[in-house]
Amino acid sequence: ADPDPLQDFCVADLKAPLSVNGFPCKPEAEVTSGDFFFDGLSKEGNTTNIFGWSVTAANVLAFPGLNSLGISMNRVDFAPGGLNPPHSHPRATETGVVIEGKLLVGFVTTSNVFHSKVLTAGQMFAVPKGLVHFQQNVGEGKALLFTAFNSHLPGSAAVPRTLFASRPSIPDDVLTKAFQVGNDVIDNIKSKFSS
Ligand code: GLV
Ligand code: MN
């Protein structure tokens, strides 16, 4: 979890010309009710992409009222067959509730045990901080998930993008050794993520 706040709130001033661990507070006299409400999760995301999914974040960057409160949410939309690819959140434990559809939800522990379950509307899951996890739409139609984090900015490292689409790239030599395959396989995977 993020550090406890030292005051009721500290609505983020995202444009402040200084850098701290978090964001400086907007002057309290300028804070309005609007700072504590956010409708950015009300719209379906665009799932027209290679994974058939979309994440809309309500973190401190999108919803500055969350600054220093140690909490945030995502909306995750899935086309039929869509996948939220394996990823981890360096700064937060995640929980989620399925709103619509049928999702295979899973994570792998540091002992390399895979925990998974197929969930439908109203059912919840937990992903311990930092562990690699995913959700896949295994139902007939669309699926909708809301997730929550004990950080105002959980961060996300997606495994495919981290390994095969970093800038600059990880040398092929590292990846061929890590995955015990030839350059052709690595180049083929890298090509899927070049844009
Ligand atoms: C789901 O895993 C999410 O990060 O919202
Ligand atoms: Mn996640």
Side-chain angles (χ1 to χ4, degrees):
D2 294 348
D4 280 339
L6 301 176
Q7 57 243 322
D8 277 2
F9 56 81
C10 170
V11 175
D13 179 353
L14 299 179
K15 300 212 173 85
L18 71 154
S19 173
V20 295
N21 184 17
F23 294 97
C25 315
K26 181 169 164 175
E28 189 163 347
E30 292 172 21
V31 169
T32 64
S33 297
D35 286 314
F36 301 105
F37 299 90
F38 181 67
D39 68 5
L41 300 192
S42 57
K43 283 189 282 309
E44 185 175 347
N46 179 2
T47 59
T48 312
N49 52 62
I50 58 171
F51 295 122
W53 119 118
S54 165
V55 174
T56 310
N59 57 30
V60 64
L61 299 177
F63 184 1
L66 295 181
N67 190 43
S68 81
L69 300 184
I71 201 163
S72 60
M73 294 187 77
N74 279 347
R75 170 186 178 129
V76 195
D77 289 284
F78 299 83
L83 174 70
N84 183 5
H87 65 279
S88 71
H89 305 288
R91 291 180 290 278
T93 288
E94 171 177 331
T95 186
V97 60
V98 177
I99 305 299
E100 180 193 341
K102 196 173 171 189
L103 291 174
L104 170 65
V105 173
F107 69 88
V108 179
T109 70
T110 57
S111 310
N112 222 21
V113 177
F114 176 48
H115 294 288
S116 72
K117 189 172 176 176
V118 173
L119 301 184
T120 55
Q123 298 187 305
M124 289 185 72
F125 65 85
V127 178
K129 182 174 180 170
L131 298 185
V132 172
H133 60 286
F134 67 86
Q135 301 96 29
Q136 182 171 37
N137 184 356
V138 293
E140 305 274 294
K142 293 180 194 175
L144 174 61
L145 169 68
F146 279 85
T147 50
F149 304 89
N150 64 341
S151 167
H152 71 188
L153 192 62
S156 184
V159 177
R161 195 166 39 104
T162 297
L163 292 177
F164 298 101
S166 64
R167 283 182 307 269
S169 314
I170 296 176
D172 272 20
D173 201 33
V174 171
L175 296 171
T176 53
K177 191 91 168 179
F179 290 100
Q180 294 290 296
V181 295
N183 279 296
D184 50 334
V185 175
I186 298 302
D187 289 343
N188 185 27
I189 299 175
K190 281 185 175 173
S191 74
K192 311 285 182 195
F193 297 99
S194 63
S195 56

